[in-house]
Amino acid sequence: MAITVDPEPVWDQPNDVPEEWIETVDDNVATKLPEGSQIKGISPYGASYWTRTAEIETEQADGTPRSFFLKVTQNEIGKAMVSGEYESMKALYSVSPDLTPEPIAWGTFAAADHVHFFLCEFVDMTDDLPDVETSMKMLAELHAKSLSPDGKYGFHVPTLQGTVPQFVEWTETWEDFFTKSIQLVFENEERSQGSDREVQNLCKETLAKVIPRLLRPLETGGRRIEPHLIHGDIWDGNTSTNVATNLPVIYDATSIYAHNEFELAPLRPVRHRMGKQYVKAYFRHFPISPPEEDQDDRNALYCLRWDMNCSTLYPGNLRYRKMCTEVMKYLVQKYSDGYEGWAKARGEEIISR
């Protein structure tokens, strides 16, 4: 598939969370710190589109200094953001504590019941991308060690992509889960950007032809995949290198149990600094799911969901929609015969769903 030069990140709207919420440490945040913590200060740290973030400096009961990372949001969407992030990070940390900061708590401010927070271990990070081989080896190990507890796809609490809730209901098959997930994304994007006949038709054909063709073969003909815990938003904005350990660190998770290759979707856009070299390294540690020849187009399909969600987040900016339209045109044209045509050509039993 030809590479399309896609849009630059959009950061053209002000953060609507008042800075006052990170000027002092709220009482409910303070109670979640380790017993005996003495707060020495709080200061803004990092940049975030929909939240305020800060470093809380403390002295512990034994006299040692220790810092914590605080993220502050507001209203019901903000509450879902921090609760979902906490549950995501807790799940990831339980499997790979060397790869993620330790989550401590989420909650609501004592001073304002519409203001919510996420609190975790503070990790001093470099400005560098994580080492390609080490980061993908650790990510592959995370996936390999974290199967869904009941064999289903989904997650036990709502998690969000930006400010948009994603589909998390427990589902038996990956094809069914992904179909419902991207259908929700298509609907959200249309509400955000307005209706367009061409986009509507392409979305319809993607659901009817492309998804069955690319995903049903993963779970038929003797082939099998399993739901693995994924971070859900791996790109250079949510990964770095831990100064203390020199190991990769991942954060700002929005987890689900999914086909492990779904994790690689944000590594496709050329606007991101983490790209194909990371994907290639990942597959040195976690084999490509058969049919292997479909992997790149599966990745394009998974990235379509990711970029359509990006379009949802920026109403009035149609750059992401235009890029997604080109991707859907390519996939719909290439897979016009759908799953049935593919199975028939290979002499495989046609499985209806």
Side-chain angles (χ1 to χ4, degrees), residues 6-12 235 271-272 314 319-320:
D6 49 14
E8 293 296 320
V10 183
W11 298 94
D12 55 2
W235 66 292
R271 64 183 179 273
H272 293 166
Y314 307 112
R319 290 181 292 172
Y320 287 101

Side-chain angles (χ1 to χ4, degrees), residues 207-226:
L207 292 167
K209 297 286 188 179
V210 178
I211 292 175
R213 165 59 188 87
L214 288 175
L215 302 191
R216 196 169 303 172
L218 291 167
E219 302 173 289
T220 57
R223 293 170 293 270
R224 182 172 177 266
I225 59 171
E226 296 178 294

Side-chain angles (χ1 to χ4, degrees), residues 71 80-90 118 251-253:
K71 177 181 288 187
M81 288 171 65
V82 293
S83 63
E85 180 174 358
Y86 173 76
E87 292 295 332
S88 297
M89 294 298 293
K90 185 171 73 169
F118 167 74
Y251 47 93
D252 204 13

Side-chain angles (χ1 to χ4, degrees), residues 153 173-182 206-207 209-221 223-225 259 261-262 289-291 294-295 297-303 305 335 338-339 342 351 353:
Y153 297 89
T173 72
W174 173 239
E175 180 190 348
D176 188 25
F177 181 89
F178 185 82
T179 299
K180 291 174 179 176
S181 176
I182 200 170
T206 298
L207 292 167
K209 297 286 188 179
V210 178
I211 292 175
R213 165 59 188 87
L214 288 175
L215 302 191
R216 196 169 303 172
L218 291 167
E219 302 173 289
T220 57
R223 293 170 293 270
R224 182 172 177 266
I225 59 171
H259 180 207
E261 291 180 16
F262 187 53
S289 300
D294 288 347
Q295 183 274 318
D297 284 341
R298 284 196 302 264
N299 184 250
L301 176 64
Y302 294 163
C303 188
R305 176 196 173 278
Y335 298 113
Y339 160 75
W342 175 86
I351 305 297
R353 286 183 178 169

Side-chain angles (χ1 to χ4, degrees), residues 220-296:
T220 57
R223 293 170 293 270
R224 182 172 177 266
I225 59 171
E226 296 178 294
H228 297 267
L229 180 68
I230 67 167
H231 172 282
D233 199 12
I234 291 287
W235 66 292
D236 42 274
N238 291 335
T239 61
S240 188
T241 301
N242 186 322
V243 170
T245 65
N246 202 37
L247 291 173
V249 59
I250 61 176
Y251 47 93
D252 204 13
T254 175
S255 291
I256 52 174
Y257 287 93
H259 180 207
N260 62 292
E261 291 180 16
F262 187 53
E263 185 85 277
L264 308 178
L267 303 181
R268 189 178 189 88
V270 297
R271 64 183 179 273
H272 293 166
R273 293 187 297 154
M274 291 178 67
K276 287 186 176 181
Q277 72 273 35
Y278 286 85
V279 175
K280 291 179 180 178
Y282 177 86
F283 287 128
R284 288 194 284 271
H285 302 284
F286 202 121
I288 296 172
S289 300
E292 291 85 353
E293 63 271 17
D294 288 347
Q295 183 274 318
D296 189 62

Side-chain angles (χ1 to χ4, degrees), residues 9 23 34 52 57 90 123 130 171 200 204 216 221 281:
E23 291 176 348
R52 293 286 179 184
E57 298 176 90
K90 185 171 73 169
V123 175
T171 309
Q200 288 176 336
K204 181 179 178 180
R216 196 169 303 172

